[in-house]
Amino acid sequence: AQSVTQLDSHVSVSEGTPVLLRCNYSSSYSPSLFWYVQHPNKGLQLLLKYTSAATLVKGINGFEAEFKKSETSFHLTKPSAHMSDAAEYFCVVSASNQFYFGTGTSLTVIP
Amino acid sequence: KAGVTQTPRYLIKTRGQQVTLSCSPISGHRSVSWYQQTPGQGLQFLFEYFSETQRNKGNFPGRFSGRQFSNSRSEMNVSTLELGDSALYLCASSLPSGSLYNEQFFGPGTRLTVL
């Protein structure tokens, strides 16, 4: 069975400080993992994806994520938060032609 | 390439009515998935279509149905609307399964309000 757990429903950081959004997954197969971002009243945009190549994945807007099989984690990081990063972030595992979404983490960036 | 388009963007209906939402995938994408997004339940998978066939289905009542046309465009229909059907309905398209790059590309959504 596939599932995704986003460990924090809300994260608040100051502008210019690092961002860490945590995600653990469960998958019966070698998973494909994704992070998506959703800005208010917008659709979802792909930030980055892991598909069994390099374990450190770089995405758009300075985000990156590291796949750790031993910890079944796929945490999203960014060295320095920007005001425009304020949004909802979703960790997703793909298996059997389905996407399994986490419950989302709302990121607030304080000026 | 044009992105995933959804029409209409906003809809207001009353209880008991039915509604049809439309989704045009990215050119060349043959898989279309539908999701319901609400504040309480988050993103929930409705169904996925591939080559005009429903390949996967989420845990929604039979009032929710869909179809896909030969040009990969898809529609979803909700009959006998209930207040709880108020949500953002997202459509996503992707390349067929088996691709290493099977990420889904999402449309902007249709905001359905049921009064």
Side-chain angles (χ1 to χ4, degrees), chain B residues 38-87:
Chain B
T38 59
Q41 300 297 319
L43 271 155
Q44 294 186 284
F45 172 73
L46 280 156
F47 28 65
E48 185 229 358
Y49 285 87
F50 175 73
S51 292
E52 303 179 64
T53 301
Q54 189 181 86
R55 190 162 61 171
N56 284 290
K57 188 177 189 305
N59 189 27
F60 277 80
R63 299 186 298 108
F64 292 81
S65 63
R67 58 178 176 169
Q68 187 180 33
F69 302 95
S70 59
N71 62 357
S72 294
R73 189 177 70 86
S74 178
E75 290 181 346
M76 68 163 281
N77 183 275
V78 188
S79 62
T80 319
L81 283 166
E82 301 176 359
L83 294 178
D85 297 334
S86 294

Side-chain angles (χ1 to χ4, degrees), chain A residues 3-19:
Chain A
S3 68
V4 174
T5 301
Q6 291 185 243
L7 299 169
D8 307 291
S9 57
H10 300 277
V11 170
S12 185
V13 300
S14 297
E15 189 176 17
T17 64
V19 175

Side-chain angles (χ1 to χ4, degrees), chain A residues 36-58:
Chain A
Y36 282 82
V37 61
Q38 186 178 33
H39 288 92
N41 300 313
K42 296 287 179 67
L44 280 78
Q45 181 185 19
L46 178 68
L47 277 177
L48 49 80
K49 61 188 177 188
Y50 167 78
T51 53
S52 72
T55 56
L56 182 61
V57 182
K58 293 187 183 300

Side-chain angles (χ1 to χ4, degrees), chain B:
Chain B
K1 279 185 178 179
V4 178
T5 57
Q6 292 186 246
T7 56
R9 292 292 312 278
Y10 301 91
L11 266 177
I12 300 176
K13 293 284 187 179
T14 56
R15 281 178 297 174
Q17 288 186 308
Q18 75 165 19
V19 66
T20 299
L21 313 181
S22 180
C23 171
S24 292
I26 292 172
S27 177
H29 286 192
R30 296 167 60 192
S31 170
V32 173
S33 298
W34 288 89
Y35 297 86
Q36 181 195 65
Q37 186 177 27
T38 59
Q41 300 297 319
L43 271 155
Q44 294 186 284
F45 172 73
L46 280 156
F47 28 65
E48 185 229 358
Y49 285 87
F50 175 73
S51 292
E52 303 179 64
T53 301
Q54 189 181 86
R55 190 162 61 171
N56 284 290
K57 188 177 189 305
N59 189 27
F60 277 80
R63 299 186 298 108
F64 292 81
S65 63
R67 58 178 176 169
Q68 187 180 33
F69 302 95
S70 59
N71 62 357
S72 294
R73 189 177 70 86
S74 178
E75 290 181 346
M76 68 163 281
N77 183 275
V78 188
S79 62
T80 319
L81 283 166
E82 301 176 359
L83 294 178
D85 297 334
S86 294
L88 181 66
Y89 289 88
L90 293 164
C91 167
S93 74
S94 64
L95 292 167
S97 64
S99 167
L100 283 177
Y101 305 104
N102 63 334
E103 69 262 34
Q104 295 195 342
F105 296 84
F106 285 81
T110 295
R111 173 75 63 186
L112 172 64
T113 302
V114 182
L115 302 176

